Amino acid sequence: MKTELSRTLGIEHAIFGFTPFPAVAAALTRAGGFGVLGAVRYTAPDDLARDLDWMQEHTDGLPYGLDVVMPAKKVEAPENRTLSEADVEAMIPEDHRAFVRATLAKHGVPELAEGEASGWRITGWMEQVARGQLDVAFDYPIKLLANALGSPPPDVVARAHDHGVLVAALAGSARHARHHAEAGIDVVVAQGYEAGGHTGEIASMVLTPEVVEAVSPLPVLAAGGIGSGEQIAAGLALGAQGVWLGSIWLTTTEADLHSRALTAKLLAAGSGDTVRSRALTGKPARQLRTEWTDAWDDPAGPGPLPMPLQGLLVAEAVSRIQKYEVDPLLGTPVGQIVGRMNSERSVQQVVDELTRGFEKAVDRINRIAGRSDA
């Protein structure tokens, strides 16, 4: 499963895996793919450095990357002043805070213990936090820097290139992809509607060839709803030079969701049990449908705030829901491929299944095309 891009990066399989779990990213890299560690959950530079040290020790000198979130549109500060987290927190309306309290009370969600900090902070949506993450990351031999929300600022692209790091950006339309190409991006991830997390309106089968044509000769990775070798073969047939997988790793044995109840919900879910909602971050993100997403999507409610306000607003609530495993509200970003995620397997087993499925699909097409005697 080699392409020009996989050869450039020195990997055996053109399988790129986004994950918030260092153990998953490292296992994928060791299995011949390319692990990409998500940085958004790291609120302290020392924590990111600790896990990148761990990645260095567990990737056998093989390549890996980092994913940050630097929104193209963000809450602006007056007089060009840099907003602190406290500044942003102060912008959250009281009626939204009251809605959160009422929703949690309705479901009997306990408070955190006195003095216990929220374990789920996504200040990484804020540009200055992401820049701090990059200050750490460029001290390590990462080979790819991905941005989940548009092209990174020009100085970040230039800085990555100065370090010999390729830059990737996710795109939900051909128009977005062209903007990335104009911004000097090296790899475009065409992420279809089926994907978990932030995603657009166009399905992968339509989006991938549109993006390939729009940015040629830049390499494109197909993403969204991919979780089998046959789907990888389809993505490459549409012109992609690899695939970008995220959701499929959530139920691997190396993943650390800290919740058996959440793992059980993922294993039981079907492909129709997700919804695109702004409930988590303020931008449309596909996730398990729960009574929490229903509450935020209800026209009778106040509606989600823009990024990063919504993420800061719900951070403690999400921590409480996860800690106490309040089933009706318990969810996570995940794509429609969740319907195939019905058993716990190691990352290596997933990769083995993907490569076997890819080989079967290629053999099948060769027989149809009369290129095989099998």
Side-chain angles (χ1 to χ4, degrees):
M1 200 186 299
K2 292 185 182 295
T3 65
E4 183 178 348
L5 179 60
S6 70
R7 292 187 180 95
T8 296
L9 290 169
I11 59 177
E12 182 179 359
H13 307 302
I15 300 173
F16 295 72
F18 163 79
T19 174
F21 307 117
V24 174
L28 176 56
T29 285
R30 293 195 306 272
F34 190 94
V36 181
L37 178 65
V40 72
R41 293 176 185 261
Y42 293 93
T43 58
D46 288 348
D47 291 340
L48 178 59
R50 177 203 64 215
D51 281 357
L52 288 176
D53 283 339
W54 189 92
M55 290 279 293
Q56 280 293 105
E57 295 171 4
H58 293 84
T59 48
D60 300 335
L62 297 169
Y64 62 90
L66 190 76
D67 179 280
V68 297
V69 177
M70 304 183 80
K73 295 181 180 179
K74 52 186 180 295
V75 175
E76 298 291 346
E79 302 173 356
N80 296 318
R81 181 170 57 86
T82 299
L83 284 172
S84 68
E85 183 178 340
D87 291 331
V88 178
E89 289 266 15
M91 296 180 182
I92 298 173
E94 178 54 35
D95 63 338
H96 280 75
R97 295 187 186 277
F99 181 76
V100 170
R101 291 193 296 268
T103 304
L104 296 178
K106 176 182 176 181
H107 293 275
V109 183
E111 298 275 357
L112 295 177
E114 185 176 352
E116 182 179 357
S118 167
W120 194 86
R121 298 294 284 173
I122 53 171
T123 53
W125 305 123
M126 300 172 67
E127 183 175 315
Q128 66 266 32
V129 177
R131 286 182 178 277
Q133 293 166 347
L134 295 178
D135 290 339
V136 173
F138 287 131
D139 287 336
Y140 293 82
I142 61 171
K143 299 300 182 184
L144 180 75
L145 173 67
N147 188 44
L149 292 174
S151 304
D155 66 297
V156 172
V157 176
R159 188 179 178 190
H161 288 165
D162 287 344
H163 282 81
V165 176
L166 296 181
V167 181
L170 275 65
S173 70
R175 177 175 60 85
H176 293 155
R178 282 190 286 267
H179 288 328
H180 295 340
E182 293 165 1
I185 299 302
D186 304 293
V187 180
V188 177
V189 181
Q191 179 157 289
Y193 172 85
E194 308 95 326
H198 297 112
T199 186
E201 303 277 357
I202 305 172
S204 300
M205 185 65 71
V206 175
L207 179 66
T208 301
E210 286 185 350
V211 170
V212 168
E213 181 178 354
V215 302
S216 179
L218 287 183
V220 172
L221 299 177
I226 299 174
S228 73
E230 291 82 356
Q231 290 170 309
I232 293 176
L236 299 187
L238 293 172
Q241 289 198 29
V243 291
W244 177 273
L245 310 182
S247 298
I248 197 71
W249 315 113
L250 289 173
T251 52
T252 57
T253 53
E254 292 88 347
D256 187 11
L257 287 177
H258 299 294
S259 172
R260 291 305 303 171
L262 181 54
T263 298
K265 288 189 79 168
L266 288 169
L267 294 172
S271 56
D273 292 328
T274 69
V275 63
R276 286 172 75 247
S277 171
R278 298 176 185 267
L280 194 61
T281 70
K283 287 183 177 291
R286 186 172 296 283
Q287 53 204 282
L288 283 179
R289 182 177 181 179
T290 66
E291 292 190 31
W292 178 256
T293 62
D294 286 349
W296 282 104
D297 296 338
D298 188 340
L305 295 167
M307 178 182 282
L309 301 180
Q310 181 71 12
L312 292 172
L313 168 66
V314 304
E316 181 180 323
V318 172
S319 286
R320 289 164 60 184
I321 292 166
Q322 291 178 346
K323 177 178 179 177
Y324 299 111
E325 297 188 329
V326 183
D327 192 79
L329 305 178
L330 186 63
T332 187
V334 69
Q336 291 180 331
I337 198 62
V338 70
R340 292 183 62 96
M341 295 159 49
N342 48 26
S343 65
E344 292 184 80
R345 297 163 293 163
S346 70
V347 169
Q348 182 67 64
Q349 288 173 316
V350 172
V351 172
D352 289 344
E353 182 178 300
L354 293 173
T355 54
R356 285 195 300 269
F358 175 80
E359 290 170 358
K360 289 179 181 178
V362 171
D363 287 345
R364 186 182 307 121
I365 294 301
N366 281 334
R367 288 196 299 271
I368 293 170
R371 300 192 182 105
S372 172
D373 295 330

